[in-house]
Structure formats: structure tokens, C-alpha cells
Amino acid sequence: MSAAPDDPVYRNPVLDADWSDPDVIRVGDDFYLTASSFGRVPGLPLLHSRDLVNWTLVGHALQRLEPESAFAVPRHDCGVWAPSLRHHDGRFWIFWGDPDQGIFQVNAPGIRGPWTRPHLVKAGKGLIDPCPLWDEESGEAYLVHAWARSRSGVKNRLTGHRMHPHGTELLDEGEVIVDGDRLPGWFTLEGPKLYRHDGWFWILAPAGGVETGWQGAFRSRAFFGPYEEKVVLEQKDTDVNGPHQGAWVRTPSGEDWFLHFQQRGPYGRVVHLQPMRWGGEGGWPVIGDEGAPVPGHRRPDLPPQKPAAPATDDDFPGGRPGRQWQWTANPRDGWATHHSADGLRLTCVRTPDAHDLRALPNVLTQRLPGAPCTVEVDLRLDDGEPGARAGLAVLGDAYSWIGLERGTDGAVRLVHRFAETAAEAERDAAPPRPAPGGRARLRVDIGVGARCRFSYDTGDTEDTGEDTGDGVGEGGFRPSGQVFAATPWRWVGALLGLAALAPAGQGHAGTATFTQFRIRIQEKRADR
């Protein structure tokens, strides 16, 4: 949550949405962050800050997932897992693990690019969470990574390699440098971040699982070990479950800070900022309040900045979506039409999967805010064939959407549909209603626990709405359907989505135009 420049205290989370598995570095006076993007495109988001509290999204390092054919359809739990961001030899570097392919890297002369095409550093199944280190003391380069049991049959261990200084290849077969099975009580050891400090090799790595785990620190005088370990951050008596998988960063004045995620169900993995200091008992790092997460703290000793957060609202100038939007698979030409005015013009893509938004690659998504909010967008369904439809969705293992559909009689109607987690097809959440002129303003109010109430305004004064007893709401909006509880994907929080589609067939099915997309965050944080 952004802090006012005159407020001496910040409050967690500093990024209140699903910025999963964050890694952070400082270059000069600037801080940069990247995060997992899994199967969404573009991937590898790039965030910038000057104070570690206020962040903006400045781009993405990965424009398409490879191989392209594998990501032509949604693969929500695949793709980019737990990247590591580093700056070395005048370039930015990002390494990540694709659990089905291996370890990749891209690099660029500046944070905004141009970024190289993905380079496969090591092929293999289950290789995840890689982190490089260029050791300035010795001139050697190293890489550490974890394992995904779902692909390799192995987990709870960290493997180390010597790496070519160019970052293009590994120089050995690797060896296990930390075996979690040999540590009493440790399990699901993953997400390592590798550093050099005070003559030690340090690995900051979480264990215990995302819901209930902790942050560990490992140190050794030699890269290949042996390592000793210590738990340096855990939930204790706070409400921050599973605080782990993050990064250490030092400010120009010498302050140390640690950013990590907290898993919050449908909201995904939100990012917290913790004070950190070296020199605890035995020289170990001390994070938070003596190893417990803090809800807020004195701001970092950095120049005050104006409140900022990654963009959410969009007028779609020129028909182009803002940086905050990602497709659910590699996009294809023709899904969105560029033009001279404002508004997102989406083609109603014909598909045999029109009954299930979860299977569609042409859904444009952004992260669900972690605080109660109201989401609105204007929609116009343009000339098209029967069955063409478009709308606003809350998308996860279960989903619900509200929008417009053209019937066999040519008339456009307001529809509201949903699908349960195990359902193979959606069904009506409310009866269809007239939509004069093929237009509607769509709304979803997202309350505590990501409970979603859908509503609409078609401008039809004859529409009396549902018999819910609620009547006409604010600004002429009428409620639709029952409350829908948003659900996450596997590893990923729920998403807001804009979609345009049509049943399988021949010929152009029409277009849909979205305008004035807005998210209003409610100040009250009743669920925290």
C-alpha cells in the first residue's frame, strides 16, 4: 500500500496484488523488481521504485513464451517460475526456471530493454528458481536452483553449479549443496537467492510451503558448502502466514531491507517490506521484528516520493491495452485492433471452447487488487453474428462474467454466467435481459474475502432488475445473480478479465469495444 510522502511510516503490503516470488535489486538510486508471470503474456514484469514503498510497472522483459506452440493455449501453472534479477557488467539479467523445459535467461542494457530472446542455460525437467552470482572477489560465477517434484520426482534440495561468466552455460553437472531432507523439520526448500556478504556465501531460501512456511538463511565460506542454516523470518503471532521467498537489498545509506510475499488465497501473493539488519547473534541477518513480520515500519532512509502504484485504470488510447494487461497465452494477430480513438476493440474470436473462459487464450487479464474495490467498464457489442459475446470476468479455477451476447434474432442481451471449479461448462447466473443499443456499463464490487457482487446498467428504464429486493443501485446499476466468491488458480491469484468470443464457425463474428476501465479501491481494510 503506497504511503504519502510526509508519512514517516509505511504499511504492508507495499504491493497489494499478486506479484508472486519477487526479486529486487538496486542500481544507483533506483530499485527494480521482477516476479513470476507463469503462463501469461507478456511475462517477467518490471517494476521501478525510488523508496521501496511506491512502485510503478515500467514494462516486461519477455514478450512471448517459448516454444510458442506450447503456449498457444492457457497453461496457468507453467511458464515463468520464480525469476532472479541481477545487474552485472553494465547489463540487467533475469534467470528463471520453466519446470517443463529448464533454466532460461534474458539480458538487456537497460531495464526497459531491448531484452534478448530467451536463452536456455540448462535443459531439464523440474529445474526451478535459479539464481546467479558473479563473485567480485574471485571472478567466478555460480548458479543455484531448486527442484519441482511434480516434474523431477525431487524436491527439498538446492543444487549448485559453476557458471560461465557470460551467463550462457553451466560448467559442471552440479551438486547438492543444501539437502533439506537432512535438516530436521525442513521440507519444501525452494526459491533460493544467492549473495556474497562479509566473506560468506549466503543463500536466502524459504521452506515449509507457501501457506505455512518460513524464510531460511544458509551460509558457507565456500560456495559448494558445507552450509549452516537458521530460520530468520516466520509468522509467529502475526497474521502474515508463510512469510518467505524474497530478496535482500541495501540502500545507498547502508540500510538493509527484505521484500517477500504472503499467500492470500484469491488475491495471490502480495509483497511485504521488512526491515533487516546484519550482525544478529552469530552474525546472522535479523528480519522484521526479531524474526516476525511487521505490519508497518519507519520508511527507508530514501528521498520522499509521491504515492504510486502499478496502473490499473485504462482508456485504451489507440486501441492498445496498458502495461498492466496480460493475455492468458501467446497472442495472435487480429485479437485487438489498433485505431485512432480510445477504446479496446477486441475481435469476437471463434472457438469451440466458447463454453469455458478458462480454456481461452484470448482473455486479456490483470491482477485482482488485494483490497476491497469496485471494477467498472463500458462495453459495446458491435455488428456480429449470433452467439458473439463479450464481457468482464473474475477468473480463476471457478469464474463468473457479465456482459453482452447477440441472440439468433439479432438482438443483444445482457447475460451473466458462471462456472464452478469442477464444471466443464458455464451456466446462467441470472436470466438474460434486454440491452438496448448493444451497450452496457458493467460493474463488480469485490468485498472482503474477494466476494464479488456483479451489477449492470443498460440504460433500459423498463428493466426492473432481479427480484432481489435490492432495487436500482448507485448510478442506475442493478444487481445480477448471487454473490460469487473468487478462487485462485494453482500458484496464481484470481484475475480480472476482458474477453470477446463466439462459437466455432466460419467468417467474421463481430467485435466488442471496451472503454473507461476503472478500479476504485476502498480505503477500509476490513479483511486485514
Side-chain angles (χ1 to χ4, degrees), residues 25-88:
I25 61 170
R26 177 177 67 87
V27 180
D29 294 327
D30 298 286
F31 298 91
Y32 300 103
L33 181 150
T34 192
S36 295
S37 50
F38 298 98
R40 303 195 302 278
V41 181
L44 289 174
L46 303 167
L47 285 78
H48 170 256
S49 177
R50 282 289 185 95
D51 63 359
L52 291 172
V53 174
N54 296 282
W55 294 88
T56 57
L57 179 64
V58 297
H60 292 81
L62 188 62
Q63 296 307 308
R64 300 185 71 82
L65 288 162
E66 297 184 1
E68 294 215 7
S69 59
F71 292 96
V73 296
R75 302 179 67 200
H76 300 288
D77 60 349
C78 301
V80 176
W81 284 25
S84 290
L85 173 63
R86 292 293 182 265
H87 189 260
H88 167 71

Side-chain angles (χ1 to χ4, degrees), residues 37-40 73-79 81 328-329 357-360 365 395-397 489-492 495:
S37 50
F38 298 98
R40 303 195 302 278
V73 296
R75 302 179 67 200
H76 300 288
D77 60 349
C78 301
W81 284 25
T328 48
L357 294 186
R358 295 165 296 198
L360 301 185
T365 68
L395 195 63
D397 280 339
W489 305 94
R490 188 183 186 193
W491 318 133
V492 180
L495 299 167

